[in-house]
Amino acid sequence: MNWNEVVVEVAFDITNAFSDALMNAGALSITVEDADLGTPAEQPLFDEPGADSNEYAWKRSRVIALLPADANAGAVLKKAAEECKLTEVPEFILREVPDEDWVRVTQSQFDPIHIGEKIWIVPSWHEIPDQSGIVLELDPGLAFGTGSHPTTRLCLEWLEKNVKKEQTLLDYGCGSGILAIAAIKLGASKVTGVDIDPQSIITSNENAERNHCSFSCHLPDEFPSFEPDRQYDIVVANILAGPLKTLTKTLTERIRKNGSLVLSGILEEQANDVIEAYAPYINLTVWKSHEGWVALSGQLNRL
């Protein structure tokens, strides 16, 4: 079966509405990209995932709608334009999408990722590039965290340089379990994961089994009852700046004396706000930055 792609450029203030209207009119999927992609006018965007603000939008967006081959592209666009109360149907380009082995095509987009000195994130369908390295087998899935995002990379680099044998670690916001698995393979003896998403708990357990690791995972409501007084040598949280600022007490209470806190998911311009939020509990500094994101770290000196 073949498909068609309808490509249309729209102003930033109607991008979301027009995308929704295209779906309502029969589109199978929508992709939005910078209309100036690949030109000097290309506009990189840095914001927290899930943000929906015109401040963080391309001034000219290219909307690509996937349609069944037998769909009338003009009629779909006309219906979408009417829903958005546009005075005329935008000009569009129609291009054919040939039938392919989409599993193979998708897999080809995910190559092994080399992080730090010896960590490799390897999809299950790839050969291991370096048998002497620390290999984490992870496939792209529903839970966040395959090593491709700068914040995950920053956390992995910190762990590689700082985890010592037999240390304990709490991964708060464990996602796919990638940081917990890496910590175990780097020598941590006892690791615990926490995530607000039940799917992440399932994925973390599956990935742990695939990597011949074992660690306990909990939802936040369940976690306080899990050895409530337990403290860890390392607490790592790769979430977002907003939630991190609300978790100051939750995270710092779990750090044992002289233990370390590592935070990421923070944009460079957000770093000072997060550092200030944690100042009553722990002195944090920017450990490293990458592609507009930072990792903060500090050591807790309890009285």
Side-chain angles (χ1 to χ4, degrees), residues 2-129:
N2 288 6
W3 295 267
N4 286 326
E5 282 184 338
V6 174
V7 185
V8 58
E9 291 187 11
V10 297
F12 76 96
D13 56 337
I14 65 164
T15 299
N16 290 341
F18 195 72
S19 298
D20 291 342
L22 285 169
M23 290 296 290
N24 294 337
L28 302 174
S29 67
I30 298 292
T31 303
V32 180
E33 60 186 31
D34 187 354
D36 295 313
L37 185 67
T39 75
E42 180 179 349
Q43 178 188 1
L45 299 181
F46 297 99
D47 195 24
E48 295 183 347
D52 185 12
S53 169
N54 287 341
E55 182 181 354
Y56 296 101
W58 295 297
K59 298 306 179 185
R60 296 193 313 123
S61 294
R62 182 181 295 120
V63 178
I64 304 170
L66 183 68
L67 302 178
D70 58 355
N72 185 320
V76 169
L77 279 168
K78 184 174 184 296
K79 186 175 179 181
E82 290 173 349
E83 182 176 328
C84 292
K85 296 181 172 53
L86 300 182
T87 56
E88 58 184 24
V89 177
E91 294 184 2
F92 65 92
I93 298 172
L94 186 66
R95 58 194 187 196
E96 184 180 353
V97 180
D99 193 16
E100 293 193 54
D101 182 348
W102 292 108
V103 172
R104 180 183 57 80
V105 171
T106 300
Q107 289 181 346
S108 69
Q109 298 173 0
F110 296 95
D111 291 326
I113 300 172
H114 188 208
I115 295 175
E117 296 180 7
K118 53 188 177 181
I119 295 176
W120 284 91
I121 315 299
V122 184
S124 59
W125 54 82
H126 272 283
E127 294 292 328
I128 297 173

